[in-house]
Amino acid sequence: MISGYHLFREEASGCTSKYPSLQYVEEKEGIPTIQGELILESDQGEEIDSYKIKIICSPDYPSNFPIVFETGGRIPPNIEWHVHSDRHACICSWPEELILCSQGITLLSFIENQVTPYFFNQKHREVNGFFLRERAHGMRGNLDFFKETFRTTNLRKIVSFLEYIKSNPEPNRTNDCFCGSGDKFRKCHRDEFRKFKPLSSEAIDTFMGFIMTCELHQK
């Protein structure tokens, strides 16, 4: 916990330099936080809009995302707006978050690649009445991530793919893919293998348990 807070504090200075409208503060009990206005700019550098936000260091950062809040009251605390009841933002699905964190995140990359696109999507919803990039919520959203990633709706196959990834070294690029498609590994599920392989066995076991539970509920 301490090392995560220390890292967040170190990275905060670079973020506030790049985003002068954001400031570093500490919440109760010394929890490091960035807050202020996130300016949304066009490709030409023109200001489109801004949102008042707060980004709080999570206890196990950077193994998990920081916690993001919209503090201006513009976005309703409604999961249909990708906001939880306690007003923290639903940035992406749970498995996607763990994978992105396993690949390595910084506070700056998180703001640029996750937070800013999230608020651009909220702006699109406010203007047009729908999200530009909609995602399902909760269990369904997490399950959809696995289906889309492995390009199948067969949950037992997904579990078997994850078990293979957990238990085996990366196949040779010219081998047939472990999914049984008959295609070469390099042209089939190589990217997916490399996405999940850095995760701990415990994390992959948790994914498999979640998918098997979903499979039972679908019967």
Side-chain angles (χ1 to χ4, degrees):
M1 180 184 299
I2 295 175
S3 61
Y5 284 1
H6 179 71
L7 178 62
F8 189 101
R9 291 187 184 100
E10 287 187 338
E11 295 176 342
S13 60
C15 293
T16 54
S17 295
K18 183 164 184 178
Y19 297 92
S21 56
L22 298 176
Q23 297 178 334
Y24 176 79
V25 298
E26 294 204 354
E27 294 281 289
K28 294 181 294 184
E29 301 178 355
I31 299 175
T33 302
I34 283 181
Q35 65 181 29
E37 284 194 275
L38 179 69
I39 309 297
L40 303 183
E41 295 182 345
S42 69
D43 292 338
Q44 292 72 39
E46 299 174 347
E47 182 173 336
I48 297 172
D49 205 340
S50 65
Y51 287 85
K52 293 181 179 179
I53 68 167
K54 178 186 289 186
I55 303 174
I56 301 175
C57 183
S58 56
D60 50 1
Y61 175 79
S63 296
N64 284 103
F65 284 169
I67 305 164
V68 180
F69 294 88
E70 188 271 316
T71 59
R74 285 176 59 177
I75 306 174
N78 186 322
I79 196 61
E80 296 304 317
W81 282 78
H82 302 295
V83 179
H84 295 283
S85 58
D86 68 351
R87 293 190 176 273
H88 88 266
C90 179
I91 299 291
C92 69
S93 68
W94 155 64
E96 186 178 8
E97 176 180 342
L98 291 185
I99 289 169
L100 289 169
C101 288
S102 75
Q103 294 170 347
I105 65 167
T106 65
L107 185 53
L108 184 59
S109 71
F110 175 66
I111 293 173
E112 292 177 337
N113 300 325
Q114 304 299 327
V115 179
T116 299
Y118 172 86
F119 283 102
F120 264 113
N121 214 17
Q122 293 289 0
K123 176 64 177 178
H124 188 277
R125 167 73 180 258
E126 288 182 333
V127 173
N128 299 289
F130 64 95
F131 284 113
L132 182 62
R133 295 177 295 276
E134 183 66 285
R135 65 171 69 90
H137 315 294
M139 180 179 288
R140 180 187 162 197
N142 294 330
L143 195 58
D144 284 349
F145 169 78
F146 289 107
K147 292 177 180 179
E148 293 166 7
T149 297
F150 288 105
R151 303 185 294 281
T152 180
T153 59
N154 187 318
L155 301 187
R156 293 189 179 184
K157 279 189 175 181
I158 295 173
V159 169
S160 70
F161 296 165
L162 289 170
E163 179 62 46
Y164 180 92
I165 293 170
K166 182 186 77 168
S167 304
N168 293 275
E170 180 172 328
N172 186 283
R173 61 192 296 273
T174 58
N175 287 1
D176 288 344
C177 187
F178 59 85
C179 73
S181 66
D183 293 332
K184 298 302 181 186
F185 173 65
R186 71 178 186 275
K187 295 183 177 180
C188 198
H189 282 95
R190 181 173 66 177
D191 290 346
E192 289 71 29
F193 186 99
R194 292 177 176 179
K195 181 181 290 186
F196 285 88
K197 189 62 178 178
L199 296 174
S200 67
S201 295
E202 291 76 14
I204 295 179
D205 285 341
T206 300
F207 289 163
M208 291 192 293
F210 165 77
I211 295 167
M212 288 187 289
T213 299
C214 292
E215 201 267 342
L216 288 173
H217 287 169
Q218 289 182 0
K219 290 183 177 180

